[in-house]
Amino acid sequence: MISKKMKRLVENSSIIRAMFEEGTRLSEIYGEENVFDFSIGNPNVKPPEDVKKAIIDILSEEEPNLIHGYMNNSGYEDVREQIANYITKKDGVKLTANNIVMTCGAAGGLNIILKSLLNPEDEVITFSPFFGEYANYVDNFYGKLVVVKSQDGTFQPDINALEEGINERTKAIIINSPNNPTGVIYSETTIKNIAKVLEKKQKEYGTSIFLISDEPYREIVYDDIEVPVILKVYKNSFIGYSYSKSLSLPGERIGYIAVNGEMDNFEDVIASLNVANRILGFVNAPSLFQRVVGRTLGAEVDVNIYKKNRDLLYNHLISIGFECIKPEGAFYLFPKTLIEDDKKFAQIAKKYNILLVPGTAFGSPGYCRLSYCIGYDKIEKSLEAFTKLAKDCRNL
Ligand SMILES: Cc1ncc(COP(=O)(O)O)c(C=O)c1O
């Protein structure tokens, strides 16, 4: 018999499973080309050619037992050093290999950070709408996720609500910019205001409050908008980075944590991240892909492909009456649903072979998420279906 906790989690993941099964069912009836699946954030843009070349070069040049072997739980020293130097040069924060821990994607990174920080009942704050997995990651270590609202109309964090949400049990804040599901990038002012509140509250309670910046979409940015560098603004900060989206490698499970060198108890934190990596069963990040990302620093997918998709879908949705913020990054749109009940809206959308995720899954009912990391042609073909869906909702 599975545990009560897992039974609950399996039941709760039925929305995602149902969506997947629905996609398969609709494809069998109408043909895959007539089903518009906007539900999954799986990158459709090809990884850069440099990645393929690096894989081939590494496999032909290096000794197999070394490439595929175990190493220190924090990852290869030389790769960590390459990443540290790259960040130092690009972002102007002085890092060394000691500040970097290689991880199994951002998900692996967040879990080892939370494992390292949380005592049972400790609180972790995030802003709605939020990536639903945060609730599970915090629950993994018996913490409590506290959801604080963002500002209406901009989805920038509400700083007053943050201040009110912090108490002596608050251990960490998770932010995500560029954001899944809104596509919003937090401004420099927002980040500085968050840091000010955290500093004030640390003093007030005599505690350390950690800022965890979940940044798998850092490179998926449009119109040259700058993503502020958290490590420059707040000393108790971590960046959880991933190559899942920037290099289109989500199945390879590769990313890193960058730890601020000024962090309280820095040495203990690093030691703890290493042990957490081991005992959660990750052991170390995939060895071949550590080498690959070390050799391809600065390589990026063609973000213009996502930008064209964004413009096509966004302009059409606005023209037929949807209300939506124009995303500055990531590859999601988060419009208001045309009827109040977002789950019912998702059901109606299925009549037109459109699959989308209700905002409730991100803690924001009344909205829905559309992942536009699919083919441009598919989006073009879907526009008529969205027009029909809008008409249908107006006549309800
Ligand atoms: C906001 C956010 N955080 C973390 C992750 C996990 O990414 P990874 O594949 O790097 O584990 C995702 C994946 O979609 C995400 O959207």
Side-chain angles (χ1 to χ4, degrees):
M1 192 55 192
I2 62 172
S3 71
K4 283 185 198 150
K5 188 168 174 178
M6 281 313 297
K7 196 158 174 19
R8 177 172 53 80
L9 290 172
V10 170
E11 280 161 13
N12 285 349
S13 52
S14 61
I15 299 184
I16 298 157
R17 207 175 47 232
M19 189 86 71
F20 182 74
E21 281 164 10
E22 190 61 10
T24 313
R25 189 184 74 81
L26 292 174
S27 295
E28 275 165 11
I29 302 172
Y30 301 102
E32 195 272 327
E33 68 285 3
N34 297 311
V35 177
F36 312 117
D37 189 349
F38 291 93
S39 68
I40 298 167
N42 207 5
N44 72 313
V45 173
K46 272 203 230 130
E49 272 303 304
D50 287 357
V51 168
K52 187 166 151 193
K53 182 173 180 309
I55 297 169
I56 295 166
D57 288 351
I58 293 164
L59 290 176
S60 49
E61 285 164 19
E62 296 191 24
E63 208 270 299
N65 289 103
L66 280 180
I67 314 165
H68 302 300
Y70 291 125
M71 81 300 296
N72 187 316
N73 300 121
S74 55
Y76 287 119
E77 172 91 19
D78 57 338
V79 172
R80 287 160 45 224
E81 194 174 315
Q82 284 160 345
I83 291 175
N85 291 341
Y86 178 74
I87 300 174
T88 301
K89 204 163 154 208
K90 185 161 89 56
D91 296 332
V93 245
K94 180 87 195 85
L95 299 181
T96 71
N98 276 344
N99 300 81
I100 306 291
V101 177
M102 301 305 294
T103 62
C104 294
L110 289 171
N111 273 279
I112 68 171
I113 293 172
L114 294 168
K115 172 95 179 156
S116 296
L117 298 181
L118 296 186
N119 289 307
E121 304 299 318
D122 277 351
E123 296 186 4
V124 178
I125 294 181
T126 199
F127 297 96
S128 67
F130 65 98
F131 178 55
E133 291 293 64
Y134 295 157
N136 295 322
Y137 300 164
V138 171
D139 182 57
N140 281 344
F141 310 106
Y142 308 99
K144 189 177 149 205
L145 187 73
V146 176
V147 181
V148 157
K149 69 181 182 67
S150 301
Q151 292 170 41
D152 291 336
T154 65
F155 291 127
Q156 294 282 327
D158 182 328
I159 303 298
N160 294 331
L162 170 66
E163 188 159 357
E164 280 164 25
I166 297 177
N167 61 46
E168 63 279 4
R169 289 187 307 277
T170 306
K171 201 43 145 340
I173 317 290
I174 305 180
I175 58 172
N176 168 225
S177 165
N179 185 266
N180 173 10
T182 64
V184 162
I185 294 175
Y186 294 173
S187 66
E188 182 95 31
T189 311
T190 296
I191 298 297
K192 286 190 171 152
N193 286 339
I194 291 176
K196 255 192 226 152
V197 169
L198 299 187
E199 272 154 14
K200 180 176 153 196
K201 290 288 173 180
Q202 286 192 138
K203 270 205 193 112
E204 186 178 329
Y205 295 119
T207 54
S208 300
I209 306 177
F210 297 90
L211 181 59
I212 304 168
S213 186
D214 180 24
E215 301 189 2
Y217 302 94
R218 168 166 275 277
E219 263 68 53
I220 315 293
V221 169
Y222 312 116
D223 312 317
D224 297 326
I225 293 174
E226 292 276 321
V227 182
V229 180
I230 267 71
L231 298 185
K232 278 186 182 168
V233 182
Y234 186 65
K235 75 180 180 112
N236 281 331
S237 57
F238 298 91
I239 291 174
Y241 186 80
S242 162
Y243 295 92
S244 291
K245 322 287 169 168
S246 63
L247 296 181
S248 286
L249 297 172
E252 304 298 353
R253 315 306 306 132
I254 185 74
Y256 63 80
I257 298 169
V259 185
N260 194 317
E262 311 269 289
M263 179 176 285
D264 297 343
N265 304 107
F266 175 80
E267 296 297 337
D268 285 353
V269 172
I270 293 290
S272 173
L273 293 173
N274 283 335
V275 173
N277 223 0
R278 191 189 88 220
I279 66 180
L280 285 177
F282 299 121
V283 182
N284 55 252
S287 53
L288 173 60
F289 274 84
Q290 287 191 46
R291 289 254 175 266
V292 170
V293 299
R295 283 198 188 199
T296 55
L297 289 168
E300 278 172 35
V301 293
D302 183 354
V303 172
N304 273 321
I305 297 175
Y306 292 132
K307 187 177 169 183
K308 273 177 72 186
N309 287 359
R310 174 198 68 168
D311 291 344
L312 178 64
L313 188 58
Y314 172 82
N315 290 337
H316 183 71
L317 292 185
I318 296 297
S319 77
I320 59 172
F322 277 86
E323 270 179 63
C324 185
I325 285 194
K326 190 169 188 179
E328 297 171 325
F331 38 55
Y332 309 101
L333 285 169
F334 200 60
K336 273 195 176 148
T337 47
L338 297 174
I339 56 170
E340 215 178 306
D341 184 339
D342 54 318
K343 288 188 187 157
K344 192 165 167 206
F345 182 74
Q347 286 303 329
I348 301 172
K350 274 190 216 159
K351 272 189 4 202
Y352 303 98
N353 290 350
I354 298 171
L355 297 177
L356 47 80
V357 186
T360 302
F362 306 92
S364 289
Y367 291 84
C368 65
R369 189 192 74 173
L370 297 164
S371 302
Y372 55 83
C373 46
I374 62 173
Y376 187 86
D377 295 353
K378 203 51 168 303
I379 298 178
E380 254 181 341
K381 209 166 166 191
S382 76
L383 300 183
E384 201 185 327
F386 278 106
T387 305
K388 286 182 186 160
L389 168 64
K391 269 196 195 132
D392 194 348
C393 289
R394 254 178 240 121
N395 293 332
L396 279 179

